[in-house]
Amino acid sequence: MFTGLIEEQGRVLTPPRNGKLSLAASKVTEGLALGDSIAVNGVCLTVSAFSGQRFTADVMPETLHRSNLGELRIGSLVNLERALPATGRFGGHFVSGHIDGVGSLLSVRPEGNALIFSIRAAPELLRGIVEKGSVAIDGISLTVVEVTETLFSVSVIPHTAAVTTLAGKRPGDRLNLETDMIGKYVLRALSLAQPSNNNSVNESLLRVLAY
């Protein structure tokens, strides 16, 4: 489990062309152990090897298909976050590290001291995104400003832009998206219920909330 609060930016040493991704980092490698989980651009990966301030993780074909990790090059910067320890302080929102899909950055515009990022996404992703709800973009926990039939927008404060890869993003760049975890369970429960049977819908919602 992650929080969407990025600890640092790592640098790609070896892109995942052969199923292995190697990165250089300083903070997340402190006390690192084999089998640890690290979110790379929001994708939960398992450490398979490490040495000093670098580590390697295996990347499955499904991960490359579902995320933007396959687009990484030598020297690319990525957002990194270690899994939340049981004794850690929780911030951001519940982030699983399981990417739902990718969106395309449409525009970035200033609004006061913030930047508004507008992102185009597929309808099946937008169904899990709600105004003022939470979304993880390349592993960053952000609050949704607006949702339409074709896109959604988030507001990014200067600190977040400075300590993550968002400052370097340009229109057309593809971003990893993870929609709200609770919302996904609610949508799944509703999809299994018969639309004409209100009792089934209510019972499905109660089962989800009971979890």
Side-chain angles (χ1 to χ4, degrees):
M1 186 67 65
F2 305 92
T3 67
L5 300 183
I6 303 304
E7 295 186 82
E8 67 171 322
Q9 294 182 63
R11 188 174 298 276
V12 174
L13 298 174
T14 305
R17 303 293 181 269
N18 61 350
K20 293 184 179 296
L21 172 65
S22 294
L23 299 165
S26 57
K27 188 170 184 178
V28 301
T29 52
E30 296 174 358
L32 195 62
L34 288 177
D36 281 355
S37 295
I38 296 180
V40 179
N41 274 0
V43 181
C44 179
L45 298 178
T46 301
V47 175
S48 58
F50 67 94
S51 177
Q53 294 189 329
R54 57 180 61 192
F55 70 94
T56 298
D58 294 319
V59 182
M60 299 182 296
E62 167 65 12
T63 301
L64 295 176
H65 171 72
R66 183 80 65 162
S67 72
N68 63 15
L69 294 190
E71 301 167 16
L72 297 176
R73 301 290 184 267
I74 295 175
S76 294
L77 295 177
V78 293
N79 298 317
L80 300 177
E81 181 192 356
R82 290 170 290 189
L84 180 69
T87 56
R89 183 177 181 180
F90 190 84
H93 73 280
F94 289 114
V95 178
S96 68
H98 302 158
I99 301 302
D100 295 301
V102 295
S104 177
L105 180 60
L106 289 177
S107 64
V108 181
R109 62 177 175 83
E111 184 178 74
N113 69 333
L115 293 172
I116 302 297
F117 284 68
S118 294
I119 300 164
R120 186 185 302 279
E124 58 267 26
L125 293 176
L126 291 171
R127 281 197 291 270
I129 298 175
V130 298
E131 187 173 318
K132 303 309 176 188
S134 297
V135 65
I137 299 177
D138 273 357
I140 308 162
S141 175
L142 295 167
T143 300
V144 178
V145 172
E146 180 186 20
V147 185
T148 73
E149 294 181 354
T150 58
L151 59 87
F152 72 97
S153 61
V154 293
S155 183
V156 178
I157 61 173
H159 172 75
T160 301
V163 300
T164 70
T165 59
L166 286 181
K169 296 301 179 182
R170 299 292 181 267
D173 286 348
R174 291 176 8 118
L175 305 169
N176 292 332
L177 303 179
E178 182 185 331
T179 61
D180 183 69
M181 187 183 300
I182 296 175
K184 282 187 281 194
Y185 282 105
V186 171
L187 286 173
R188 175 61 175 166
L190 290 174
S191 71
L192 294 175
Q194 294 295 328
S196 60
N197 189 333
N198 290 330
N199 288 332
S200 295
V201 173
N202 292 333
E203 289 172 4
S204 297
L205 285 172
L206 287 174
R207 285 198 297 271
V208 170
L209 295 175
Y211 292 144

